[in-house]
Amino acid sequence: MSSSSYCLLHFCFLLIISTCIAQTTSRPKTLFLAVKKDPSTLQYITEIHQRTPLVPLKLAIHLGGESLWVDCEQDYESSTYKPARCNSRQCNLARSTACGSCHTGTGTRPGCNSNACYNVVENPVIDTIYTGGEIAKDVLSVGSVNGTFLGPVATMSRFIFSCAPSYLTRSLGKDVKGMIGFGQQSPVSLATQFASAFRFSRTFAICLSSTKELDVNGIIYIGQSPYLFSPGYDASRDLIYTPIITYSPSSIYINRPSSEYYIQVSSIKINGKALPLNKTLLSLDKNGNGGTRISTTLPYTVLETSIYNAVIKAFVKEMPKEVRSVPAVQPFTTCFNSRDVGMSRLGYSAPEINFVLHKQNVHWKITGANSLVEVSGDVICLAFVERRQESGQSVIVGGFQMQDNLIEFDLSKKRIGFSNSLFFRQTMCSNQGFA
């Protein structure tokens, strides 16, 4: 696409969005979503309100997803649902891949209309994509923050999303009706649409809670900081940044930059000692292999086999001699007797793992709270799993390693900020008072 075409498309996007804002008492600068961890699937789930009349919808968080998609086959009823018509500006914004008509024996319905456009929607949990997601518009509402207090509900009257068939929700959590995407490069991600509608920064921050109580949540902030946690701590003050790496896959379905988030991990250290790794594995190649990706749909960090073996060997070597190994518990291979391991404010007393990022002095620190997971009353395991596929990213950072870390995604500056564990500051992701 030429620069002039891109600018025209961006202008059209702003024009569309400017007409999609419902009345609110004020223009919020920061929105938020409460996030829970589903105990059976280990997926991170949020709830939005959509349609007319508004109904609550549970959606799984897909950090690298291009858009919000929902099951439109079952119980989708709304007086304000409107499909995007072929060749419309909404179709272009949502990167439509096809256009056509759909009919059922009883006429049209949400997700199946005449002269509508479609795009690709994905459920990475079951490694499935669907190319016939009808692009549509409807009312959508989320909460907002006004300083240190809850603000008014923020509503878009014509939020762009995609419809999907019921089967695409397979393996999602109980009562989860779709996925909510925050992907980079996407004009219709939730963060981008609300930022354009309410004219705030194209920035969002994820803070996943490790707390197991059902009434305690993590949070996603959408918009500008501060990111406030008790006791009076603003996590935006201590962020360290690394660039977002863009990658354009060669695919019969998608011919544009990936919406996933890639970063450069240049080495891995355990207790300050660099691991002997094949450094070529740490760089993302033109086919999308190697390198490091961040994912909210994987429960634990996945490592390429040689990297995994190096991490296991070094971690075990650095554990105190009195810590007894115990039989493995799937999907893990390295487990210990928890009664032999001390505790601190940073979780289990364990060797510190450092992902060294684009510079030698920029580290993502992984302490015991994010490296060892309790699998039974007296068994803890190293919370990393081996990559089973022959190809793919060498490191995929999963949800467990992100818990109680605030991670900011600054789309305007193309960078990601890391707080490292909030336990260093004697707080945690559930201590924000909004969600």
Side-chain angles (χ1 to χ4, degrees):
M1 180 183 293
S2 68
S3 59
S4 59
S5 298
Y6 179 83
C7 290
L8 178 60
L9 180 60
H10 184 65
F11 172 77
C12 291
F13 178 50
L14 294 177
L15 183 62
I16 294 168
I17 291 298
S18 67
T19 64
C20 295
I21 308 172
Q23 294 294 321
T24 58
T25 57
S26 62
R27 187 181 296 276
K29 295 180 179 179
T30 308
L31 312 180
F32 78 92
L33 297 170
V35 182
K36 292 182 182 292
K37 188 174 184 177
D38 181 79
S40 59
T41 65
L42 304 183
Q43 295 161 14
Y44 297 94
I45 309 300
T46 190
E47 185 174 276
I48 54 107
H49 287 76
Q50 191 202 37
R51 311 173 191 179
T52 302
L54 288 170
V55 297
L57 285 181
K58 290 184 178 180
L59 301 172
I61 303 296
H62 182 193
L63 177 62
E66 287 198 344
S67 62
L68 185 153
W69 64 263
V70 301
D71 173 9
C72 292
E73 277 190 339
Q74 299 293 325
D75 303 321
Y76 195 109
E77 296 182 4
S78 175
S79 62
T80 48
Y81 177 94
K82 293 183 179 180
R85 298 305 179 187
C86 292
N87 302 313
S88 67
R89 291 174 294 183
Q90 289 84 5
C91 294
N92 291 332
L93 284 170
R95 296 164 166 174
S96 173
T97 55
C99 194
S101 297
C102 170
H103 300 280
T104 67
T106 56
T108 61
R109 58 166 175 78
C112 184
N113 286 275
S114 300
N115 191 34
C117 58
Y118 313 105
N119 64 357
V120 176
V121 292
E122 176 188 18
N123 180 350
V125 177
I126 56 174
D127 194 23
T128 300
I129 64 173
Y130 176 66
T131 60
E134 181 173 276
I135 300 166
K137 300 168 288 182
D138 211 336
V139 175
L140 188 142
S141 294
V142 299
S144 76
V145 174
N146 182 8
T148 59
F149 302 97
L150 288 174
V153 171
T155 300
M156 286 184 62
S157 60
R158 290 190 286 252
F159 184 90
I160 300 171
F161 71 105
S162 296
C163 279
S166 298
Y167 80 81
L168 206 66
T169 63
R170 282 199 330 266
S171 297
L172 297 182
K174 183 180 179 182
D175 299 325
V176 174
K177 300 300 184 183
M179 306 192 83
I180 185 168
F182 287 85
Q184 63 157 323
Q185 311 285 341
S186 173
V188 292
S189 73
L190 184 134
T192 297
Q193 288 198 64
F194 270 99
S196 296
F198 290 101
R199 300 176 189 172
F200 53 63
S201 171
R202 286 199 307 131
T203 302
F204 67 96
I206 290 181
C207 206
L208 304 176
S209 175
S210 61
T211 305
K212 297 179 181 179
E213 286 81 358
L214 295 178
D215 59 344
V216 177
N217 299 313
I219 192 168
I220 297 178
Y221 290 101
I222 305 166
Q224 66 188 49
S225 56
Y227 311 124
L228 298 177
F229 299 87
S230 62
Y233 173 62
D234 175 9
S236 67
R237 298 199 310 249
D238 296 324
L239 298 180
I240 57 172
Y241 290 95
T242 195
I244 297 172
I245 296 174
T246 57
Y247 159 66
S248 297
S250 176
S251 169
I252 61 173
Y253 301 113
I254 302 174
N255 184 24
R256 54 181 176 268
S258 171
S259 59
E260 298 282 1
Y261 290 91
Y262 302 93
I263 59 173
Q264 179 64 54
V265 171
S266 58
S267 65
I268 299 175
K269 295 181 178 181
I270 295 184
N271 275 356
K273 302 171 184 176
L275 303 187
L277 303 178
N278 179 353
K279 293 298 181 69
T280 61
L281 294 172
L282 297 178
S283 295
L284 189 68
D285 68 20
K286 63 181 181 180
N287 297 314
N289 296 318
T292 299
R293 175 165 61 90
I294 304 175
S295 171
T296 52
T297 58
L298 291 173
Y300 303 101
T301 292
V302 176
L303 302 174
E304 182 273 338
T305 297
S306 67
I307 298 175
Y308 178 79
N309 290 336
V311 168
I312 294 295
K313 181 179 179 180
F315 191 90
V316 171
K317 182 179 180 180
E318 292 296 320
M319 284 291 278
K321 301 300 182 185
E322 65 270 17
V323 176
R324 291 169 289 177
S325 295
V326 299
V329 179
Q330 290 298 315
F332 312 110
T333 62
T334 305
C335 301
F336 307 96
N337 189 318
S338 63
R339 289 176 291 184
D340 299 336
V341 181
M343 292 288 291
S344 74
R345 63 188 177 93
L346 302 178
Y348 291 105
S349 299
E352 184 178 273
I353 301 172
N354 276 291
F355 285 175
V356 182
L357 302 178
H358 69 294
K359 293 182 179 180
Q360 287 300 307
N361 63 343
V362 181
H363 294 185
W364 185 346
K365 295 180 181 180
I366 300 174
T367 61
N370 297 103
S371 64
L372 291 169
V373 59
E374 180 182 326
V375 296
S376 68
D378 57 0
V379 176
I380 55 177
C381 297
L382 185 59
F384 295 80
V385 296
E386 182 180 357
R387 191 187 76 189
R388 297 303 180 184
Q389 294 82 7
E390 291 187 5
S391 60
Q393 284 75 61
S394 297
V395 180
I396 308 177
V397 180
F400 187 81
Q401 278 67 41
M402 298 168 66
Q403 289 179 170
D404 290 309
N405 287 246
L406 182 126
I407 304 176
E408 180 190 75
F409 298 82
D410 188 334
L411 303 181
S412 299
K413 296 181 179 179
K414 297 182 179 180
R415 65 182 187 174
I416 298 176
F418 302 90
S419 70
N420 287 311
S421 177
L422 295 181
F423 292 166
F424 281 110
R425 296 291 181 172
Q426 299 183 332
T427 189
M428 57 200 307
C429 286
S430 59
N431 286 350
Q432 22 67 33
F434 302 120

